[in-house]
């Protein structure tokens, strides 16, 4: 039976990540990078597409999960009629290794466990050649990849699987170490799983202990920067939107996208989240990744890149995977990387500005790139584009894209930028004023008393909630207040879920229907904060927090009718929204006030 998305938890080593289900099965793992081909793909298919089950050999009376405090080490405890035992799952983030460790720990009584390892390379299709070395090590090889399993437990092959059963008594620990390597080299070196557990605890706790107090939400907020750290590709500093592909925005639908890449759009809010929590090294690494990724011709700037800055992300379908709950197609790559989305230039400029405010001087490459980007945008802002939601129904003059173009020129005309780069900001201010006037004239509908999705449109769009958050207009401006009321009336479902836009006859080139995009609901909280509506902001924020799963994770979307998560998981932008809302509610000047100011 398919698990719900919220029934999974993430473990990772800051290079890749795996999803572990409540049933003890690891159903998704791409190795050695987030965007590598999956060797466990049961999440999007069946167990025959690859998984690693480790669970009691019989029904569990109760299953409880938690992360060890301040870490990404997952503990899943099973209670059966005969006893209690826990599985501790983690990936070792140190020493450049690629190891996944599972330790079964007996707590009371006695339990019979079973394990079933099904390795299928290339997204669930390639059966490896599996052999056993003299020391008991199990090797699975196909093409360039080798996976190695070491354990004291007796295992055997059966129906193209590696299986085994073993008894666990109270106080006993049974380790499994699964390692990634190349087929042409020597086997990955063995590690001590218990020493690796202690080193991994120390790594995560040393990092997470730096997280400051965030009012009554400290514990739940702390899980979010740990999740962002887990979604960071440590060798470059790039942060993936999610570690998964093709988890659907509508069950049985086709809105299934590959999110294992780094989006520029999330850059400023991500940067502010890290900086406000005191994680300046991560903020600087993210900024530097961004500058490296976009270096070159401004006309070739993309909305997303690979974790190393790769530009070529061709979109293909995987026909042998039926998709999560038969939501097909399963996509690898993302064709939106070729779209024109002008708003990302505003993100680039705002990241540079916010790092200057934080005392980070511009890099040499950033200095050289800045005028090229501005000259390009001085003409490009007038063009239609595919917009923030990456529509596939044709380009429009999206209001959000124009607003973010204004952000770019507003920031570079700021006195701080003018002093830093020893130039006059007059020309940039004139362009900013021109964009501002056009948006207010063509992007506001007096009949609706609201800004609209695109010039000449009557549709609303949740991205309009960003107008006061980026400082385009004050939060108390009548046009902002009218827009907020219109969004509450037409995009807000119940008391907490905000749709991205009106999706019936949306003209986005896709079939209608999707869940509520969780970052939009967090933007609504931020709007309430900026307007001084603190009681409403807190109530909405608490309702959103209640939608986290049992280990504090959020997906991209939520289905209000079915009461379950949708979309790729866990979603970086949802956790960025959670962090920033908590900071806005507990600090005199949070990320919203700082960015709007």
């Amino acid at each position: 039976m398919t698990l719900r998305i919220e029934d999974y938890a993430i473990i990772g080593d800051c290079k890749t990540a795996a999803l572990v289900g409540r049933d003890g099965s690891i159903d998704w793992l791409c190795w050695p990078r987030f965007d590598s081909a999956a060797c466990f793909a049961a999440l999007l298919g069946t167990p025959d597409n690859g998984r690693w089950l480790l669970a009691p050999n019989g029904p569990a009376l109760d299953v409880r999960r938690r992360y060890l405090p301040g870490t990404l080490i997952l503990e899943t405890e099973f209670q059966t009629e005969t006893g209690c035992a826990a599985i501790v799952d983690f990936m070792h983030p140190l020493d450049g290794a690629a190891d996944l460790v599972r330790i079964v720990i007996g707590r009371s009584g006695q339990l019979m466990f079973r394990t079933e390892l099904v390795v299928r390379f290339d997204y669930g299709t390639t059966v490896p050649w599996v052999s056993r070395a003299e020391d008991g090590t199990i090797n699975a090889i196909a093409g360039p990849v080798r996976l190695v399993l070491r354990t004291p437990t007796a295992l055997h092959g059966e129906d193209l699987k590696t299986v085994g059963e073993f008894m666990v008594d109270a106080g006993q620990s049974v380790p499994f170490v699964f390692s990634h390597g190349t087929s042409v080299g020597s086997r990955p070196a063995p590690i001590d799983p218990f020493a690796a557990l202690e080193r991994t605890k120390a790594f995560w706790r040393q990092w997470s202990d730096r997280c400051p107090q965030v009012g009554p939400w400290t514990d739940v907020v702390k899980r979010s920067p740990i999740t962002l750290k887990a979604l960071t590709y440590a060798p470059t500093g790039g942060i993936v939107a999610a570690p998964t592909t093709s988890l659907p925005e509508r069950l049985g639908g086709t809105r299934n996208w590959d999110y294992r890449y780094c989006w520029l759009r999330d850059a400023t809010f991500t940067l502010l989240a890290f900086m406000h929590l005191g994680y300046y090294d991560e903020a600087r690494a993210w900024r530097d990744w961004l500058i490296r990724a976009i270096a070159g011709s401004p006309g070739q700037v993309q909305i997303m890149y690979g974790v190393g800055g790769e530009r070529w992300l061709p979109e293909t379908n995987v026909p042998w995977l039926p998709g999560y709950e038969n939501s097909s197609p399963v996509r690898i790559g993302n064709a939106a990387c070729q779209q024109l989305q002008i708003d990302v230039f505003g993100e680039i400029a705002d990241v540079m500005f916010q790092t200057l405010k934080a005392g980070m001087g511009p890099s040499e490459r950033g200095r050289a790139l800045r005028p090229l980007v501005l000259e390009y945008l001085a003409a490009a802002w007038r063009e239609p584009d595919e917009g923030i939601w990456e529509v596939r129904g044709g380009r429009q003059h999206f209001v959000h894209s124009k607003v973010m173009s204004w952000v770019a020129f507003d920031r570079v005309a700021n006195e701080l930028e003018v002093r830093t780069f020893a130039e006059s900001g007059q020309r940039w201010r004139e362009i900013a004023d021109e964009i501002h006037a056009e948006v207010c004239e063509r992007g506001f509908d007096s009949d609706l008393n609201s800004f609209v999705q695109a010039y000449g449109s009557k549709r609303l769009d949740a991205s309009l909630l960003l107008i006061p958050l980026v400082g385009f207009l004050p939060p108390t401006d009548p046009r902002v207040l009218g827009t907020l009321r219109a969004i509450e009336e037409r995009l807000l479902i119940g008391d907490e879920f905000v749709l991205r836009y009106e999706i019936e006859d949306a003209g986005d080139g896709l079939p209608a229907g999707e869940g509520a995009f969780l970052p939009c609901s967090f933007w609504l909280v931020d709007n309430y904060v900026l307007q001084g509506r603190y009681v409403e902001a807190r109530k909405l924020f608490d309702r959103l927090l209640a939608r986290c799963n049992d280990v504090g994770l959020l997906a991209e979307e939520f289905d209000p009718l079915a009461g379950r998560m949708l979309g790729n998981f866990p979603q970086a932008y949802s956790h960025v929204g959670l962090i920033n809302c908590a900071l806005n509610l507990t600090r005199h000047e949070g990320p919203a006030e700082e960015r709007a100011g």
Side-chain angles (χ1 to χ4, degrees), residues 293-578:
I294 66 174
S297 169
Q300 294 181 324
V301 168
Q302 298 182 181
I303 65 164
M304 73 181 80
Y305 297 85
V307 293
E310 296 86 357
R311 293 168 173 258
W312 180 238
L313 310 174
E315 183 177 304
T316 59
N317 295 343
V318 181
W320 57 84
L321 288 175
Y324 179 83
E325 294 199 11
N326 293 312
S327 304
S328 63
V330 170
R331 293 183 171 94
I332 303 302
N334 200 313
C337 69
Q338 299 299 313
Q339 290 185 347
L340 175 64
Q341 296 179 26
I342 296 171
D343 62 297
V344 299
F345 292 98
E347 289 290 340
I348 294 168
D350 211 6
V351 163
M352 302 305 141
F353 178 65
Q354 298 299 338
T355 53
L356 280 180
K357 286 175 64 178
M360 298 183 202
S363 67
E364 180 179 346
R365 183 173 290 157
R367 282 183 178 273
L369 193 62
R370 181 176 178 273
L372 299 177
V373 170
L374 294 173
E375 289 295 341
Y376 172 79
L377 187 58
W381 76 266
R382 301 178 186 278
E383 301 298 322
D385 70 344
E386 276 89 1
I388 182 173
W389 306 127
E390 302 168 6
V391 300
R392 300 193 176 195
R395 295 179 178 181
Q396 302 180 52
H397 288 282
F398 288 105
V399 169
H400 173 262
S401 297
K402 308 300 184 186
V403 167
M404 292 306 296
S405 297
W406 171 87
V407 166
F409 293 110
D410 174 76
R411 301 318 191 240
V412 298
N414 183 276
E415 182 181 351
L416 175 60
E417 290 248 1
V418 169
R419 288 200 313 268
T420 301
F421 294 98
E423 65 176 17
S424 169
Q426 181 60 33
R427 181 188 173 205
W428 309 133
R429 177 54 61 196
E430 290 173 355
I431 296 175
D433 290 345
E434 181 184 1
I435 298 172
H436 198 282
E438 180 181 291
V439 170
C440 290
E441 178 184 354
R442 300 182 62 189
F444 185 81
D445 188 291
S446 56
D447 294 333
L448 296 175
N449 192 30
S450 172
F451 285 97
V452 290
Q453 184 181 61
Y455 291 173
S457 172
K458 291 288 186 178
R459 297 192 186 98
L460 296 181
D461 191 305
S463 65
L464 303 170
L465 291 170
L466 294 171
I467 286 175
L469 299 184
V470 299
F472 184 83
L473 286 173
T476 55
D477 185 283
R479 292 163 293 185
V480 171
L481 295 175
T483 301
L484 180 56
R485 282 193 294 270
I487 287 174
E488 288 174 322
E489 291 172 1
R490 291 167 57 174
L491 296 183
L492 182 61
I493 300 177
D495 296 324
E496 59 191 295
F497 297 113
V498 180
L499 297 175
R500 293 189 297 171
Y501 48 89
E502 296 170 289
I503 56 177
E504 297 300 329
D505 191 29
D508 59 6
L510 296 165
E514 65 173 7
F517 189 63
L518 289 172
C520 297
S521 296
F522 288 117
W523 296 343
L524 183 58
V525 174
D526 292 337
N527 271 259
Y528 288 160
V529 171
L530 289 180
Q531 291 186 15
R533 297 164 60 178
Y534 296 109
V535 172
E536 292 170 89
R538 289 190 182 95
K539 286 182 178 179
L540 176 53
F541 185 54
D542 285 336
R543 285 195 293 268
L544 292 171
L545 291 183
R547 300 300 184 173
C548 292
N549 74 354
D550 57 324
V551 289
L553 301 177
L554 287 169
E556 174 192 11
E557 297 188 357
F558 199 89
D559 184 339
L561 299 178
R564 58 182 297 187
M565 292 185 185
L566 293 173
N568 285 301
F569 172 87
Q571 176 81 356
Y573 210 13
S574 296
H575 285 278
V576 167
L578 189 158

Side-chain angles (χ1 to χ4, degrees), residues 110-131:
Q110 188 179 68
L111 280 80
M112 178 66 76
F113 268 76
R114 63 189 175 100
T115 183
E116 179 183 281
L117 176 65
V118 185
V119 176
R120 296 291 184 268
F121 295 114
D122 302 319
Y123 297 102
T125 187
T126 301
V127 179
W129 178 263
V130 179
S131 61

Side-chain angles (χ1 to χ4, degrees), residues 26-49:
I26 298 178
D27 289 344
W28 182 254
L29 173 61
C30 302
W31 233 350
R33 293 187 1 164
F34 291 105
D35 55 355
S36 298
C39 58
F40 297 151
L43 179 71
L44 302 177
T46 72
D48 288 337
N49 296 121

Side-chain angles (χ1 to χ4, degrees), residues 14 207 210 228-229 231-240 262 264 267 270-272 274-275 278-294 306-309 351-352 355 360-361 363 365:
C14 300
W207 190 85
R210 295 158 47 199
L228 292 182
K229 180 72 170 174
L231 297 178
T232 301
Y233 185 66
T236 65
I239 303 172
V240 297
C262 309
L264 301 191
T270 302
L271 184 91
L272 290 173
F274 273 135
M275 291 197 304
Y279 292 104
Y280 284 90
D281 289 343
E282 284 72 19
R284 185 178 290 105
W286 175 232
R287 180 204 65 176
D288 292 347
W289 172 88
L290 185 150
I291 292 173
R292 290 194 305 272
I294 66 174
V307 293
V351 163
M352 302 305 141
T355 53
M360 298 183 202
S363 67
R365 183 173 290 157

Side-chain angles (χ1 to χ4, degrees), residues 1-11 17-29 40 42-43 50-56 63-67 74-78 86-89 100 102 113 324 549-551 553 569:
M1 183 176 180
T2 302
L3 295 179
R4 291 190 171 206
I5 291 170
E6 53 265 42
D7 287 329
Y8 287 96
I10 182 177
I11 58 173
L19 291 191
V20 186
R22 287 178 59 87
D23 60 353
S25 181
I26 298 178
D27 289 344
W28 182 254
L29 173 61
F40 297 151
L43 179 71
R51 69 158 180 177
W52 184 7
L53 176 69
L54 186 57
V63 180
R64 297 184 181 183
R65 303 187 299 177
R66 66 169 186 141
Y67 283 110
L74 180 69
E75 179 184 277
T76 306
E77 187 175 83
F78 295 92
I87 302 173
V88 174
D89 289 317
L100 191 163
R102 314 192 77 179
F113 268 76
Y324 179 83
N549 74 354
D550 57 324
V551 289
L553 301 177
F569 172 87

